[in-house]
Amino acid sequence: RSQEERLHFEKGLDSIQSDRYKAVLRKSFNQLLAYEGEQAYDMELHDQNDSRMKLSDFKGKFILIDFWATWCGPCIEQMKYIDSIRQRFSKDENFIILSLSIDGDRDKWKRFLADNNKKTYQYIVDRNLLDPYQVTEVPRTILIDADFKIAALRGPKLDDPDLVKI
């Protein structure tokens, strides 16, 4: 998959006029690819009942993490795709989708989930602890394999048709 991504990325760079900007983008892209195959960073997750768990509790499963926030319009738009993917893979015990909110206001997050009937695999994380995953924007996905290694530090968008193939 990385070779495919690299070719697509390089093709996109051709349309950029600034050599300096191209160099910065190429460096950032290469840094993201360098994390693939590395051990995933464990983090604490909190559910709607304030129970704590760790990301590593899902080790042994292929994990798709969807980072989002209640104040992010594109994140909310992507939610319909998560529901569809969850339904499609509902019988696959080796695959899980975790929706991790980076909201700073837990009460607002809980209200949003209640108002939108979102109950399954919804957690909130401290966005200040996400540096190892380089989460600088949302929506954002990360793929972690069953060995708890990073398969894609910058996974496909939830509406990407290739996501199901991956």
Side-chain angles (χ1 to χ4, degrees), residues 48-72:
Q48 298 164 56
N49 300 315
D50 295 320
S51 295
R52 296 176 190 193
M53 58 188 332
K54 293 200 171 269
L55 181 61
S56 59
D57 291 342
F58 298 99
K59 187 175 182 179
K61 298 180 184 289
F62 191 88
I63 306 166
L64 170 61
I65 301 173
D66 167 46
F67 288 100
W68 71 284
T70 58
W71 43 262
C72 170

Side-chain angles (χ1 to χ4, degrees), residues 8-159:
H8 181 72
F9 177 76
E10 291 293 336
K11 189 175 180 181
L13 279 183
D14 291 341
S15 65
I16 297 172
Q17 301 298 314
S18 168
D19 289 336
R20 184 174 178 202
Y21 187 57
K22 280 183 190 182
V24 169
L25 286 176
R26 185 172 280 117
K27 180 181 177 185
S28 295
F29 183 75
N30 289 332
Q31 286 174 331
L32 290 173
L33 289 180
Y35 283 92
E36 292 180 6
E38 294 291 320
Q39 189 71 26
Y41 168 73
D42 204 6
M43 65 179 122
E44 191 171 86
L45 315 174
H46 298 263
D47 70 12
Q48 298 164 56
N49 300 315
D50 295 320
S51 295
R52 296 176 190 193
M53 58 188 332
K54 293 200 171 269
L55 181 61
S56 59
D57 291 342
F58 298 99
K59 187 175 182 179
K61 298 180 184 289
F62 191 88
I63 306 166
L64 170 61
I65 301 173
D66 167 46
F67 288 100
W68 71 284
T70 58
W71 43 262
C72 170
C75 298
I76 307 308
E77 182 65 27
Q78 291 283 301
M79 284 185 161
K80 64 185 172 195
Y81 299 108
I82 285 184
D83 294 339
S84 171
I85 296 166
R86 278 196 178 117
Q87 186 173 8
R88 182 172 183 167
F89 289 97
S90 64
K91 294 184 174 137
D92 187 345
E93 295 178 10
N94 297 313
F95 175 71
I96 190 163
I97 301 172
L98 302 178
S99 294
L100 305 184
S101 171
I102 64 165
D103 276 271
D105 184 338
R106 284 186 193 213
D107 291 331
K108 182 179 178 184
W109 169 72
K110 287 178 185 181
R111 280 192 306 275
F112 178 89
L113 295 178
D115 292 347
N116 291 280
N117 199 27
K118 301 290 181 193
K119 298 176 183 171
T120 310
Y121 298 108
Q122 293 285 344
Y123 302 94
I124 195 165
V125 296
D126 182 347
R127 67 178 158 209
N128 297 313
L129 302 177
L130 296 178
D131 284 349
Y133 285 119
Q134 300 181 18
V135 177
T136 57
E137 79 287 332
V138 289
R140 165 88 180 278
T141 63
I142 294 175
L143 299 167
I144 298 175
D145 69 20
D147 295 323
F148 207 61
K149 295 194 177 189
I150 297 170
L153 191 60
R154 181 166 298 282
K157 286 189 171 186
L158 296 170
D159 61 349

